[in-house]
Amino acid sequence: MTSTGAGGTVRVEAGDADATLHRLIREALPRARAVRHDLHRHPELAMHEHATSQRIQAELSAIGIPFKAGLARDTLNGQAIGGTGIVAHLPATSPEGNALPAIGLRADIDALPILESTGKPYASATPGVMHACGHDGHTAILLGAARVLASMPVRPRPVTFIFQPAEEDIGGAELLCNEGALKGGSLHDNSAGLGAPVGEVFGLHGWPQLPVGCVASRVGPLLAAVDDFEITITGVQAHAAYPHLGRDPIVATAAVITALQTIASRAIGPLDSVVVTVGQVRAGSAKNIIPGSAFLEGTVRTLRAATRAAARERLHEIVTSTARAHGCEAKIEYIEGYPVTENEPAATEKFFRVAEDAMGASRVLRVEHPTMGGEDFAFYGRHAAACFFFLGLRPAGAVECPSLHQPDFDFNDDAMPLGIEMFCRLALSR
């Protein structure tokens, strides 16, 4: 490797670069762990990550990396929300490198409305809110990578660090993309971008099903598109003893829930992928009253655009017709959410090449089938070559461990060195 700076061209042998990288990671780890524990203790929900954002800004300032804050703004019920996103940028160490597109590295920063039960010394101090999806780990890893990369003697390309709010809700990735986070810019313009435009973007997610010390991904779809629905079925209220004088929305709702399962079993081909889940049902005020309405909401997950459209159309047909068959009416609000997280082939093969060179092929796995979970990282793939990968969290020797979105989940600190190394090696690869 060579770097051209104020003092001329400096040659750095690959072995020296590896030794420097590993030394800097070791030095960065205590700080990264401390940051993660602090973030875990003080979790914040989507679009309210103000203290989290301030902590990230303080860390970036301490490292000496320029950044833009106050990003990913939105409105809800006429009120401004958000403004917690951050984009930071490190230039390459040579003029030639700075003429190249930047490598983007992303971490999500929001928590979940779950009551924590880990009992850890750094457990959430906010009742009913916790980092149950590992975003504290993702953020600490990206800050650790920023600290290491800022100290590397050679950076062949610019690096953009994206600290994104509202992955669990709202879709902070789309907000940042719409604000120009991947388009580049200066500290003095009004866009979210900074430095050179981003040509490739990488993100990771801690994965409890994967052993610590391993990474995994796949070319093409990795996670599903996410759509949500809210349905109100309106009937006629009546005394429970005289159902013939009313129109029972609860019976209609039960029929709708059952019929929706035929989308997967009868409307979509058996080799295609679709999940329709009703996650919430609300109706009634007393045991002896047939209510006037019932409410249900749920989610639809798909992997192909054609399947996504077909599932939406069939859901409307089933709900409307089934409600009408029971003498009721249905109002449907269908919310199109995150698209499929699609890994671009060249960026993903780069991930595999970098990972295998660093770790050996035995620790780098190719995911056979996509998972039906969703990720708003998908939006970055509409603007740059994107690759999302899984970072193993399952402790050595453990058969299983708490999974994502469970109250006893905690990000495994032992996974952090590899997460930092992967982000750094992707940024340093040519």
Side-chain angles (χ1 to χ4, degrees):
M1 283 185 170
T2 61
S3 172
T4 304
T9 300
V10 178
R11 181 167 184 83
V12 181
E13 297 298 334
D16 294 338
D18 280 349
T20 299
L21 176 63
H22 287 141
R23 174 180 60 79
L24 289 172
I25 291 173
R26 288 194 301 271
E27 293 173 355
L29 271 174
R31 182 72 172 182
R33 289 193 185 100
V35 168
R36 194 203 58 95
H37 292 180
D38 182 60
L39 294 176
H40 192 94
R41 182 163 174 76
H42 302 101
E44 296 174 297
L45 296 175
M47 303 301 277
H48 297 280
E49 313 95 332
H50 299 288
T52 301
S53 182
Q54 288 297 322
R55 179 63 193 267
I56 294 166
Q57 293 174 54
E59 292 296 316
L60 291 171
S61 296
I63 300 168
I65 300 178
F67 62 86
K68 285 182 175 178
L71 308 177
R73 296 185 180 276
D74 202 1
T75 57
L76 181 65
N77 299 324
Q79 299 295 316
I81 58 172
T84 53
I86 303 164
V87 172
H89 187 79
L90 272 175
T93 51
S94 70
E96 296 82 3
N98 283 316
L100 298 173
I103 295 285
L105 304 174
R106 173 266 201 173
D108 36 15
I109 69 174
D110 55 323
L112 284 159
I114 295 175
L115 181 64
E116 182 164 356
S117 65
T118 65
K120 297 289 180 69
Y122 50 84
S124 172
T126 306
V129 182
M130 71 169 290
H131 273 293
C133 204
H135 297 184
D136 53 333
H138 305 166
T139 301
I141 284 171
L142 187 55
L143 284 169
R147 183 176 294 276
V148 171
L149 289 169
S151 298
M152 286 297 291
V154 175
R155 289 187 302 275
R157 289 173 63 176
V159 188
T160 296
F161 305 92
I162 303 165
F163 296 90
Q164 178 219 301
E167 187 278 326
E168 299 290 355
D169 193 17
I170 307 285
E174 185 177 25
L175 295 174
L176 282 175
C177 288
N178 290 342
E179 291 174 1
L182 302 187
K183 293 181 179 180
S186 74
L187 285 171
H188 308 294
D189 63 30
N190 293 324
S191 78
L194 192 58
V198 172
E200 296 174 302
V201 59
F202 297 89
L204 60 76
H205 203 299
W207 212 245
Q209 291 78 26
L210 193 66
V212 71
C214 295
V215 293
S217 192
R218 73 189 307 272
V219 173
L222 179 66
L223 295 112
V226 180
D227 296 327
D228 297 326
F229 57 85
E230 298 177 357
I231 300 168
T232 300
I233 296 180
T234 303
V236 176
Q237 186 167 315
H239 194 295
Y242 310 111
H244 59 291
L245 299 179
R247 296 289 185 268
D248 193 337
I250 292 181
V251 173
T253 296
V256 164
I257 293 171
T258 301
L260 285 177
Q261 301 313 307
T262 65
I263 295 176
S265 66
R266 291 297 180 268
I268 304 297
L271 299 182
D272 205 346
S273 297
V274 60
V275 172
V276 181
T277 295
V278 175
Q280 190 173 85
V281 182
R282 298 198 301 271
S285 59
K287 62 184 178 183
N288 58 348
I289 300 172
I290 293 173
S293 65
F295 175 84
L296 62 151
E297 62 180 335
T299 187
V300 178
R301 308 294 175 99
T302 53
L303 294 172
R304 298 192 310 118
T307 309
R308 191 179 192 182
R312 176 175 184 160
E313 180 180 3
R314 189 68 186 126
L315 181 142
H316 278 78
E317 292 172 348
I318 287 172
V319 172
T320 301
S321 300
T322 304
R324 188 173 295 124
H326 288 77
C328 299
E329 296 296 326
K331 178 183 177 182
I332 305 166
E333 184 175 358
Y334 199 92
I335 305 103
E336 187 172 293
Y338 305 163
V340 173
T341 302
E342 187 100 16
N343 279 342
E344 194 270 336
T348 309
E349 290 303 334
K350 174 180 177 175
F351 158 78
F352 282 120
R353 182 176 66 254
V354 168
E356 289 173 0
D357 286 349
M359 304 160 53
S362 64
R363 293 168 58 196
V364 182
L365 308 179
R366 292 186 181 251
V367 177
E368 184 176 2
H369 301 292
T371 173
M372 300 307 283
E375 245 286 349
D376 74 347
F377 183 84
F379 288 107
Y380 299 112
R382 294 180 169 182
H383 302 269
C387 174
F388 197 64
F389 64 93
F390 298 146
L391 176 71
L393 296 183
R394 194 177 75 233
V399 177
E400 59 183 22
C401 63
S403 193
L404 305 176
H405 292 214
Q406 292 184 338
D408 54 346
F409 172 83
D410 184 32
F411 194 91
N412 188 348
D413 284 346
D414 292 341
M416 293 181 66
L418 180 55
I420 294 172
E421 181 175 354
M422 281 303 306
F423 267 165
C424 289
R425 288 191 180 277
L426 288 165
L428 296 170
S429 63
R430 292 182 176 273

